[in-house]
Amino acid sequence: MLSSRHQSVLKEIDAARCVGSWSTASALAAKLAKHGSPGHVFGSIVSSEAELEEYLAKVEWSPQEHWSDDGIMQRSSNGVRVTARYPMNISSSPKQLEALEKRLQKIGKHTLSDEEAYQLSVVTAKVYFYGSKFEQCQAAVDSLATTIPDEGAMSPVYVRQLYMAQMVMRGITAEMHGDMDTAHSMYDTALVALKERLSSQAALVVPRGSAAGAEKSHEELVNWAEEALYRRAMASLAQDNIDRGADELAVYIRVMDNVTPATFRVFRRLRANRLHMQLERQSIGTDSSAAAQAKERVMASHRRQMALLKATYAFPRANEAHAEVLAEVDGAARDWELVRAFSRVESLRLLEVLYEAVFLTFNSPQVLRHLVHVLVRFGDYHEARLAFVTYRELVERQLERVKKALGSGSKIDSGLESVNNILRTVVVGARLFLVHLDSAHDCLSVVHFANDLIDDVEARNPDHQIIPPVPETIRAQVALWKGAAHGRLAQRSREPSNRADHHCAALQLLRQAAELNPQLYEAHYFLALELALGTRDIAAATAAAKQAAALDATRLDAWHLLVLLSTARKDYAKALQICEVAMRQSVWWPAYNESQPNANKSE
């Protein structure tokens, strides 16, 4: 029977071990470790564990390198495959760990209580584990029960962490033998048992050193509860149980959102959240109803990812690119398209992600490209113009490097903007200047840049071995906006010769665009507009406008032009009929029809 003084020391030791204050635990254990005193065997176990943990706290390691290969999703003809392995690649000192092994073996020769024997087995297994002696580690924990021990007198609270360590080590050794089913069972059993012992409001993962007054140290190598949550999901995914694995990964992410400090395991959480978004993307596929249901989850995941990136990275140094940030930017833009998050509020949330990425990158054309597209969709055309001008300046510098690579026949750097991405963004910029900013001259400047780029790439790369050919759809859009800009200038020119030159150029380019891409609505519409205004060719303009309306009946500008062309022929009945048809085709028709209570029910 321990005295009240010894019981008080045991409580202090239990608290110190829970928060990771190992120097305090070691000093308190020394009071118990005196030979012949009550609890001296337990004090020796605690001192050995404290020495192990203090040694581990001094080990230098990089979380980015430690978890760089874990949880990578690969696609194959058989579906999705997620790699899961335990990345124990920490360099440790065999001599120091071997000395601890011998000390613990000597302690085991004493007469031990059940509680002391349990703690000695788990601590010994931890020494083997960190020394990468996984067979000995497995032998040390295999004889222990898989149920959580009762609260004893020595460690009523810390015994839960020892139990979690025991179960996680069993799971990891099972993983190393390829037995993912047993590994998952160990992790799940441990988490369920621990949760039953905690209140519903308790945090499942408590990082060591996070409590007030705890010693400052490196982030711990292994947090057993966190490891169980993460590896349970990985074990499911490795067994191709994608649905269960995705749900368990979501649990891990939610639990870790509430961890203090918020930067704990931030890089692993980055990878886990990115993997979860990939799995979400995979489950949505082309199902529009699934996309609608997942919309809020997808946007929340990207907000979480950007918060984790801000906690991980600072403004980059010279010649430093944060690949994780750039991958998130591409993923966010792709997912907003996938779930069709196109409302102003939803576009604003994507803009917030992109502007935060601007502060984590330096003059990244990739980020600016997405900003241009989203700002145009959002309707902030002034800001879109500024982003486009900056984007153009940056890609012009990059293109000099591309031209040098083409001239020497060398490989183009992977971090550069692709020519097709540049041309697609230039097309958006041309439309921005002509349609939204009413600047035909700026539009022409942009498309001349695009034409020069296409010609230069074709001349330097005729066999397309280094750069793929420019798609006909992009060529068609470049011709379209160049023709539309000439048409706008023809309408506003006061000099007959200039007007004729612009008109001829507009007709030639717009017909070229329609030939390159017969499905391009704007090519037929602007051709009809130019035929109507430039040559007063009502019949040809009508044919072009009808073709545009046939391609996209929901857009009213082609219908409007058809109405005007009918009135120009004084066919007012036809004009009214077109108005009625156009209204029925419009996306506004259902709302209009509902607002007319006395409307003909047959409509």
Side-chain angles (χ1 to χ4, degrees), residues 536-548:
R536 301 295 192 269
D537 189 343
I538 304 300
T542 301
K546 283 182 178 179
Q547 197 162 359

Side-chain angles (χ1 to χ4, degrees), residues 197-216:
R197 288 290 182 94
L198 300 173
S199 69
S200 59
Q201 305 299 321
L204 189 60
V205 177
V206 181
R208 299 279 182 82
S210 63
E215 300 168 355
K216 293 185 178 179

Side-chain angles (χ1 to χ4, degrees), residues 22 52-60 217-219 221:
W22 294 108
L52 170 66
E53 296 290 348
E54 287 178 330
Y55 160 71
L56 294 173
K58 297 174 184 177
V59 173
E60 296 292 338
S217 62
H218 298 294
E219 184 176 289
L221 288 173

Side-chain angles (χ1 to χ4, degrees), residues 38 68 123 141 152 164 170 232 247 271 283 319 464 495 535 537 555:
S68 60
V123 173
V141 295
M164 186 61 71
R170 293 180 74 161
R232 178 178 66 170
D247 291 341
R271 289 301 178 87
S283 67
N319 299 321
H464 307 299
E495 297 182 11
T535 63
D537 189 343
R555 297 177 65 169

Side-chain angles (χ1 to χ4, degrees), residues 465-517:
Q465 289 186 354
I466 301 177
I467 298 178
V470 177
E472 295 293 304
T473 53
I474 294 180
R475 293 175 182 270
Q477 291 186 359
V478 172
L480 157 67
W481 295 113
K482 188 175 181 181
H486 277 293
R488 183 73 57 84
L489 291 174
Q491 296 165 26
R492 296 179 178 179
S493 178
R494 297 182 179 180
E495 297 182 11
S497 60
N498 282 347
R499 187 183 308 121
D501 291 342
H502 285 305
H503 172 65
C504 290
L507 287 179
Q508 179 185 355
L509 289 162
L510 291 170
R511 283 176 176 142
Q512 179 186 348
E515 289 174 3
L516 288 170
N517 185 5

Side-chain angles (χ1 to χ4, degrees), residues 329-344:
V329 167
D330 282 343
R334 182 170 61 251
D335 286 348
W336 254 253
E337 293 282 343
L338 178 66
V339 300
R340 303 191 64 78
F342 297 146
S343 72
R344 282 183 62 84

Side-chain angles (χ1 to χ4, degrees), residues 6-314:
H6 278 90
Q7 290 177 357
S8 176
V9 172
L10 288 174
K11 288 181 181 179
E12 292 181 52
I13 290 175
D14 196 37
R17 293 170 86 187
C18 286
V19 300
S21 182
W22 294 108
S23 61
T24 302
S26 181
L28 291 168
K31 298 180 180 180
L32 299 177
K34 296 177 182 178
H35 183 70
S37 65
H40 73 279
V41 174
F42 176 70
S44 299
I45 296 171
V46 173
S47 296
S48 300
E49 184 185 28
E51 184 177 336
L52 170 66
E53 296 290 348
E54 287 178 330
Y55 160 71
L56 294 173
K58 297 174 184 177
V59 173
E60 296 292 338
W61 67 295
S62 168
Q64 285 87 340
E65 295 177 4
H66 191 58
W67 289 303
S68 60
D69 299 329
D70 198 26
I72 296 176
M73 189 172 86
Q74 298 173 331
R75 290 181 175 84
S76 64
S77 57
N78 297 327
V80 176
R81 186 76 180 178
V82 178
T83 60
R85 64 178 188 81
Y86 187 72
M88 194 64 186
N89 52 10
I90 301 298
S91 58
S92 55
S93 171
K95 291 183 179 179
Q96 187 159 354
L97 294 179
E98 286 172 4
L100 279 172
E101 289 176 30
K102 292 177 181 178
R103 187 186 309 169
L104 290 167
Q105 290 169 1
K106 188 179 294 185
I107 294 172
K109 295 178 180 179
H110 290 82
T111 302
L112 305 175
S113 67
D114 291 343
E115 188 174 0
E116 289 171 335
Y118 177 79
Q119 297 207 22
L120 178 64
S121 296
V122 177
V123 173
T124 302
K126 286 169 64 176
V127 174
Y128 288 136
F129 178 82
Y130 287 112
S132 299
K133 297 181 178 180
F134 297 108
E135 295 299 328
Q136 293 95 318
C137 173
Q138 183 178 8
V141 295
D142 270 354
S143 60
L144 302 178
T146 57
T147 55
I148 191 167
D150 295 329
E151 295 179 0
M154 296 178 178
S155 302
V157 179
Y158 187 67
V159 71
R160 301 169 186 171
Q161 293 193 28
L162 289 174
Y163 169 73
M164 186 61 71
Q166 164 211 336
M167 297 296 285
V168 170
M169 287 186 286
R170 293 180 74 161
I172 290 172
T173 54
E175 279 191 55
M176 291 181 169
H177 289 97
D179 190 353
M180 290 295 180
D181 189 56
T182 298
H184 182 275
S185 175
M186 290 295 154
Y187 301 137
D188 192 60
T189 301
L191 290 168
V192 171
L194 183 61
K195 199 64 179 175
E196 288 176 351
R197 288 290 182 94
L198 300 173
S199 69
S200 59
Q201 305 299 321
L204 189 60
V205 177
V206 181
R208 299 279 182 82
S210 63
E215 300 168 355
K216 293 185 178 179
S217 62
H218 298 294
E219 184 176 289
E220 55 190 314
L221 288 173
V222 179
N223 179 289
W224 302 106
E226 183 266 344
E227 200 71 45
L229 280 167
Y230 180 76
R231 302 226 64 78
R232 178 178 66 170
M234 291 296 104
S236 291
L237 294 173
Q239 296 178 86
D240 296 331
N241 194 332
I242 303 299
D243 292 339
R244 186 179 73 182
D247 291 341
E248 290 168 346
L249 196 59
V251 171
Y252 170 79
I253 292 168
R254 286 198 301 271
V255 170
M256 297 304 290
D257 281 344
N258 300 317
V259 165
T260 302
T263 55
F264 179 69
R265 288 293 189 268
V266 65
F267 190 78
R268 175 183 263 188
R269 290 157 63 192
L270 268 174
R271 289 301 178 87
N273 194 53
R274 189 173 72 176
L275 175 60
H276 187 261
M277 289 190 291
Q278 290 174 325
L279 295 170
E280 185 88 70
R281 199 176 297 135
Q282 180 77 16
S283 67
I284 292 172
T286 58
D287 188 344
S288 57
S289 61
Q293 293 173 3
K295 184 184 292 188
E296 283 299 324
R297 294 198 305 271
V298 167
M299 292 190 289
S301 293
H302 284 286
R303 289 295 309 140
R304 177 189 294 112
Q305 190 76 350
M306 187 51 64
L308 293 170
L309 287 167
K310 288 167 65 179
T312 306
Y313 296 108

